[in-house]
Amino acid sequence: MEKARQIALPITGMTCANCVATVERNLKKLNGVQEAVVNLSSERAAVSFDPSVLQLDEIIGRVQRAGYDVARGELDLLVKRIGDDSDARRLEKSLKGLDGVLEIKVNLTTEQVRVTYIPTLVSVADIRRAVSSAGFEAQELGGDTEDAEAKARQAEINQKARLLIIGLLFTIPLFSISMGRDLGLIPEEIGHAPWMNWILLALATPVQFYVGWDYYTGAFKSLRAGSANMDVLVAMGSTAAYLYSLPIVFGWLHGHVYLETAAVIITLIRLGKFLEARAKGRTSEAIKKLMSLRAKTARVTRDGVELEVPVEEVQIGDIITVRPGEKIPVDGIVIEGRTTIDESMLTGESLPVDKKTGDQVIGATMNRLGMIRFEANRIGKQTALAQIIRLVEEAQGSKASIQQLTDKVSSIFVPVVIGIAALTFLYWFFLAAAPMHGMDTFTRALINTVAVLVIACPCAMGLATPTAIMVGTGKGAENGLLFRSSEALEQAGRIKTIVLDKTGTITRGQPTITDIVLHQFKGTENELLRLAASVEKGSEHPLAEALLAEAGNRELSLSDPAAFQAIAGNGVQAEINNQLIRIGTIRWMKELGLPVSEIESQVATLQSQAKTVMIMAIEDQLSGLFAVADTLKEGSKEAVKQLHDLGIEVIMLTGDNQKTADAIAELVGIDKALAEVLPGGKSEEIKKLQEQTGRVIAMVGDGVNDAPALAQANVGMAIGTGTDVAIAAAPVTLMSANLITVPMAIRLSRGTLKTIKQNLFWAFIYNIILIPVAAAGLLNPMLAAGAMAFSSVFVVTNSLRLKNLKIHAQ
């Protein structure tokens, strides 16, 4: 079996949680689909399928058969050098090889090509590159088409706005005439003239069958797919009021027409859906903001000539010049110049970062001071910004566990409401007391039934979780906090214990030599250091770097080690001038049988000063000590204090000895230090804590050598991974190297969880209270329609309040 392919499809036409369930159920029926998750807020379907069994057009066809569609983009290109039909076929074949391209139309006469594509699967830049690779030159027609999905969504909103305006134009006079007649504001001879009902019918019919036509088609498609959605309720409720009025208009029966009820129901729900669509559009503003950061052009040197080219035409290996005040177009390595770069838009760090030759620069960041030249090493979808956008979109499209209850309720919600409506009608028609307010038994039963149908709102339940997740993950991205899934965002708020790796997390990970102590060594301090640094030439450990850096500072000439060997968790050994030299922990020296008691007091003194001590032995004779100190990162102490303020226990995990670990823990304010933990034992320590406490445990590390521990923890947080966002092992990636981002991530998670709970409470309590109220005959259908329409708007706007959540310490 081929490797499963994962795609995200932008779905149009969904209105409620039942729509989500319908699309999911239909996609899962396809042979070859392994998983399908649909998100109402982002309006996307994440589908995992076997490409050897299933093709993209079959998936799109299934979505359409279920009554929905997939948003498409159209790109018009003027393509030069198309000579004949064979060129056209070659170009068509090249473009059809791209995932997400649906249709290509080539006009040989005008040299124009129209490409229909799915914007979540293929970009305009990808299409242009494919045209260039086929040997043609493309020029876009009709301006910027980059955000085709946004254009498709906007077209949908514009259609909703148009229908709403038409609905209001007919409904306002219809409602005014009807109410004026009922309240005696219109003379009786006019108000109750037979022709007046015909005027009302003429105003109501366009609303019912033009403005409300989508509800009929949506209801039909939903029922055909074996489910019932909000459209079914609206169509049933408004049609009942409309059809009831027809015999009265035709003069077959006497009574009151309810044409204004049918029209107001449709128009109010149209208004609610329009406001909801506009508000939902704002939930994805963070992604749009990230996309807008991208540079449009790059200044590239090719064949000795400096050219300004579109950023999508930059190739790996291109040499790019960036002047002060310009954006870095793609990721790369500085080869000339020095500058400071503002990376706040990606990392959340407010201070500019110094860059020199050999440093990495990230696309979309802003060059502040000097002019630099760099070599492009990541372009297109490989850039850090593109990876961040992809991670945020995946998180927004995933489902949190808290949403499972909503999904279960939504799947049976509409059938239950229809059942309650049927019981309401039967009760009021057969069992209720005598008619009241001038209504006969049938009319009162019908009106109460309509109220039940239109008050029910599955939309609010469906939007409660995904809208909050979208805003939460978006706000996180703006502050350099990347959540890979909604599950990670949800879990982070439940953290009770945080385990921090020491090196590179609490400390800078750049230790320096502070003390050199000679012991039974006949030479000088420099000679001892020279031998130690020579041994460590073969090591990549941070402590080895400290010895090598100090030897470099003293300009010592090093020897090449022979028979180098690293003993994990203990130290290293090698031969220098035919002498066996070992450098490592006091525990290792004791295991080797060396008389460590002679130096224990010196070691203890140095360790009490939060220094790591390395013991050196030459030919089984203790020769000296090297004390190394790793400076604390700015913000570490404050971060630990903020975590304590949040009620979280903080534990440090390190390979250092216990005394050094305790000294650092006391300095930073950490509750407990787990010391002398070998690299492979970190995940085991996390597992022990989980078993002992039963708490939600978070692990914070650098994302590379802490990978097993990050994976074992309930919430793994990779800190300071910079451009390597795609390879971090943790479900949470913190772009800044500052530990202060950890409490920020927890505050964001807790705020998001609180908003989800508020939304769910509102959505459920609204239906639990108002459906019985409507069934009891205490709610006018028009008021019911208004309440139903604005329940969804409330949920979305409540989620948008997350944008103002304070995640920095007050």
Side-chain angles (χ1 to χ4, degrees):
M1 188 181 78
E2 282 189 42
K3 185 181 177 183
R5 183 181 164 203
Q6 293 182 322
I7 59 170
L9 292 177
I11 309 295
T12 60
M14 294 194 299
T15 56
C16 67
N18 297 80
C19 301
V20 169
T22 301
V23 177
E24 278 187 0
R25 187 171 59 253
N26 275 272
L27 286 172
K28 286 174 181 175
K29 285 179 182 176
L30 284 170
N31 184 29
V33 168
Q34 296 169 4
E35 188 179 17
V37 177
V38 180
N39 186 295
L40 180 58
S41 184
S42 64
E43 296 180 278
R44 287 188 177 184
V47 186
S48 179
F49 67 98
D50 183 352
S52 65
V53 176
L54 192 60
Q55 298 302 311
L56 179 61
D57 57 356
E58 295 175 84
I59 297 173
I60 295 171
R62 191 74 189 198
V63 172
Q64 291 171 327
R65 187 180 161 196
Y68 306 91
D69 207 347
V70 174
R72 295 167 174 80
E74 282 193 344
L75 174 64
D76 289 316
L77 295 171
L78 181 63
V79 180
K80 296 178 182 176
R81 297 200 291 273
I82 299 183
D84 53 25
D85 193 50
S86 64
D87 282 346
R89 283 197 302 272
R90 181 160 56 87
L91 176 59
E92 194 171 323
K93 184 179 178 183
S94 178
L95 290 175
K96 278 195 171 172
L98 292 174
D99 282 341
V101 169
L102 301 176
E103 189 181 7
I104 302 115
K105 291 179 181 175
V106 181
N107 188 322
L108 283 172
T109 309
T110 61
E111 293 187 321
Q112 287 189 15
V113 177
R114 170 166 286 187
V115 184
T116 305
Y117 64 100
I118 297 175
T120 54
L121 302 184
V122 66
S123 68
V124 172
D126 295 330
I127 295 169
R128 287 179 58 134
R129 269 195 286 270
V131 173
S132 298
S133 299
F136 302 98
E137 187 181 330
Q139 180 184 338
E140 270 178 53
L141 299 171
D144 182 20
T145 56
E146 184 63 42
D147 199 353
E149 185 184 358
K151 290 192 174 184
R153 301 288 184 213
Q154 188 57 48
E156 210 175 351
I157 291 174
N158 293 344
Q159 168 73 352
K160 284 184 169 75
R162 191 172 62 82
L163 290 171
L164 172 61
I165 291 167
I166 294 169
L168 289 170
L169 287 174
F170 284 96
T171 302
I172 290 171
L174 169 61
F175 182 77
S176 301
I177 293 169
S178 182
M179 289 297 101
R181 183 170 69 173
D182 291 348
L183 297 172
L185 301 176
I186 297 175
E188 191 166 333
E189 61 273 15
I190 297 173
H192 291 88
W195 52 265
M196 181 58 76
N197 282 345
W198 286 98
I199 291 176
L200 297 180
L201 180 65
L203 290 169
T205 301
V207 178
Q208 189 71 37
F209 297 109
Y210 181 73
V211 177
W213 185 248
D214 285 355
Y215 296 119
Y216 286 105
T217 56
F220 171 73
K221 288 172 181 175
S222 175
L223 293 170
R224 185 183 66 183
S227 67
N229 63 2
M230 185 202 81
D231 293 341
V232 174
L233 299 179
V234 177
M236 286 179 68
S238 63
T239 304
Y242 181 87
L243 292 179
Y244 170 80
S245 303
L246 290 182
I248 298 168
V249 174
F250 296 153
W252 301 340
L253 296 172
H254 292 288
H256 188 286
V257 294
Y258 286 92
L259 292 165
E260 81 284 357
T261 300
V264 168
I265 286 171
I266 289 172
T267 303
L268 276 177
I269 292 171
R270 276 280 176 215
L271 175 61
K273 284 291 160 193
F274 171 69
L275 295 174
E276 177 194 316
R278 286 187 58 182
K280 269 165 63 181
R282 291 177 56 206
T283 63
S284 59
E285 277 179 0
I287 286 285
K288 292 173 189 169
K289 197 179 290 182
L290 284 172
M291 286 178 169
S292 70
L293 294 175
R294 292 185 283 212
K296 297 284 188 285
T297 60
R299 196 176 291 107
V300 177
T301 302
R302 289 177 182 163
D303 301 324
V305 180
E306 195 170 271
L307 307 167
E308 190 163 300
V309 301
V311 73
E312 55 263 24
E313 292 182 13
V314 173
Q315 302 294 321
I316 290 175
D318 275 343
I319 305 302
I320 298 169
T321 303
V322 184
R323 295 183 179 130
E326 294 179 343
K327 282 184 180 179
I328 308 292
V330 295
D331 298 2
I333 303 290
V334 178
I335 59 170
E336 186 184 316
R338 295 179 71 98
T339 189
T340 59
I341 291 180
D342 181 359
E343 297 182 346
S344 61
M345 63 283 292
L346 296 184
T347 65
E349 289 278 10
S350 57
L351 294 176
V353 181
D354 291 329
K355 298 290 180 180
K356 61 185 185 304
T357 302
D359 287 344
Q360 176 85 34
V361 290
I362 307 172
T365 56
M366 183 66 74
N367 185 28
R368 286 294 181 205
L369 293 179
M371 186 176 85
I372 57 168
R373 298 178 80 225
F374 71 92
E375 181 180 335
N377 65 358
R378 288 193 183 100
I379 61 171
K381 292 179 181 176
Q382 282 74 50
T383 62
L385 179 64
Q387 292 176 27
I388 289 166
I389 290 170
R390 180 177 59 78
L391 284 176
V392 177
E393 286 180 337
E394 284 177 1
Q396 291 181 343
S398 63
K399 281 193 178 181
S401 59
I402 200 169
Q403 199 175 337
Q404 290 172 358
L405 172 64
T406 308
D407 289 347
K408 286 177 183 174
V409 172
S410 298
S411 65
I412 59 168
F413 182 80
V414 175
V416 167
V417 170
I418 292 172
I420 293 171
L423 290 173
T424 301
F425 182 86
L426 293 173
Y427 171 79
W428 286 101
F429 189 72
F430 291 109
L431 303 174
M436 51 194 292
H437 306 305
M439 285 191 281
D440 59 46
T441 304
F442 178 79
T443 303
R444 186 170 61 169
L446 180 71
I447 292 302
N448 293 342
T449 301
V450 170
V452 171
L453 289 170
V454 297
I455 194 63
C457 186
C459 313
M461 291 187 289
L463 290 166
T465 302
T467 51
I469 292 290
M470 281 194 79
V471 179
T473 50
K475 186 175 180 67
E478 289 175 350
N479 289 275
L481 317 172
L482 303 183
F483 294 88
R484 286 176 165 264
S485 66
S486 51
E487 188 71 30
L489 181 61
E490 183 185 344
Q491 278 284 78
R494 300 192 170 109
I495 292 168
K496 295 298 180 186
T497 300
I498 280 189
V499 180
L500 304 175
D501 177 52
K502 180 182 79 79
T503 307
T505 302
I506 299 171
T507 63
R508 293 186 184 278
Q510 297 173 329
T512 54
I513 300 294
T514 57
D515 302 87
I516 300 176
V517 180
L518 304 181
H519 181 79
Q520 296 181 4
F521 182 71
K522 304 303 182 186
T524 63
E525 186 179 282
N526 275 3
E527 179 59 20
L528 186 73
L529 176 60
R530 191 191 75 80
L531 290 170
S534 296
V535 171
E536 296 283 12
K537 270 179 79 174
S539 174
E540 295 179 354
H541 195 278
L543 298 180
E545 290 176 12
L547 285 168
L548 289 165
E550 184 63 24
N553 291 339
R554 300 189 186 195
E555 298 181 346
L556 303 179
S557 179
L558 305 184
S559 303
D560 290 326
F564 175 84
Q565 188 180 358
I567 294 88
N570 289 319
V572 296
Q573 66 181 39
E575 289 182 8
I576 305 291
N577 301 330
N578 295 319
Q579 285 185 306
L580 178 63
I581 300 176
R582 293 185 177 96
I583 305 169
T585 63
I586 191 169
R587 183 186 68 245
W588 187 33
M589 298 299 162
K590 190 180 287 185
E591 288 172 2
L592 292 170
L594 300 183
V596 293
S597 57
E598 299 172 7
I599 57 169
E600 278 180 336
S601 62
Q602 290 172 299
V603 171
T605 301
L606 292 167
Q607 287 176 344
S608 68
Q609 297 166 8
K611 295 172 182 176
T612 300
V613 181
M614 296 181 285
I615 317 295
M616 180 169 166
I618 301 174
E619 294 289 356
D620 293 331
Q621 182 179 338
L622 294 175
S623 304
L625 315 176
F626 296 96
V628 178
D630 189 359
T631 54
L632 291 178
K633 274 187 182 178
E634 185 183 350
S636 291
K637 195 170 182 179
E638 177 60 26
V640 171
K641 178 184 178 298
Q642 289 185 27
L643 289 170
H644 283 149
D645 291 343
L646 291 168
I648 294 170
E649 178 190 27
V650 185
I651 296 173
M652 184 177 74
L653 200 58
T654 178
D656 279 346
N657 63 80
Q658 192 66 54
K659 286 186 178 177
T660 303
D662 288 341
I664 293 172
E666 187 177 348
L667 193 63
V668 184
I670 286 169
D671 301 307
K672 183 179 176 184
L674 300 175
E676 299 180 34
V677 180
L678 301 179
K682 289 182 179 180
S683 59
E684 196 57 41
E685 291 294 334
I686 299 291
K687 193 174 181 180
K688 281 183 194 171
L689 284 169
Q690 288 169 326
E691 291 170 351
Q692 288 167 7
T693 64
R695 290 176 152 199
V696 174
I697 307 286
M699 169 71 189
V700 183
D702 64 13
V704 182
N705 61 358
D706 297 315
L710 290 169
Q712 176 62 44
N714 300 93
V715 182
M717 295 185 179
I719 189 167
T721 55
T723 56
D724 296 323
V725 293
I727 60 169
V732 183
T733 301
L734 309 174
M735 294 293 288
S736 168
N738 195 326
L739 201 58
I740 210 77
T741 53
V742 176
M744 284 170 60
I746 292 167
R747 285 190 201 97
L748 176 60
S749 174
R750 289 184 178 180
T752 305
L753 265 176
K754 183 180 177 183
T755 300
I756 289 171
K757 288 173 181 175
Q758 288 171 347
N759 287 349
L760 288 173
F761 173 80
W762 164 260
F764 280 109
I765 208 72
Y766 160 88
N767 284 295
I768 288 167
I769 292 174
L770 291 187
I771 290 175
V773 168
L778 302 174
L779 199 59
N780 182 285
M782 290 185 284
L783 292 176
M788 181 271 198
F790 286 98
S791 63
S792 303
V793 178
F794 171 85
V795 165
V796 178
T797 51
N798 189 50
S799 294
L800 287 170
R801 288 172 58 241
L802 268 173
K803 286 174 177 283
N804 301 318
L805 179 71
K806 305 294 183 190
I807 61 173
H808 296 83
Q810 301 300 303

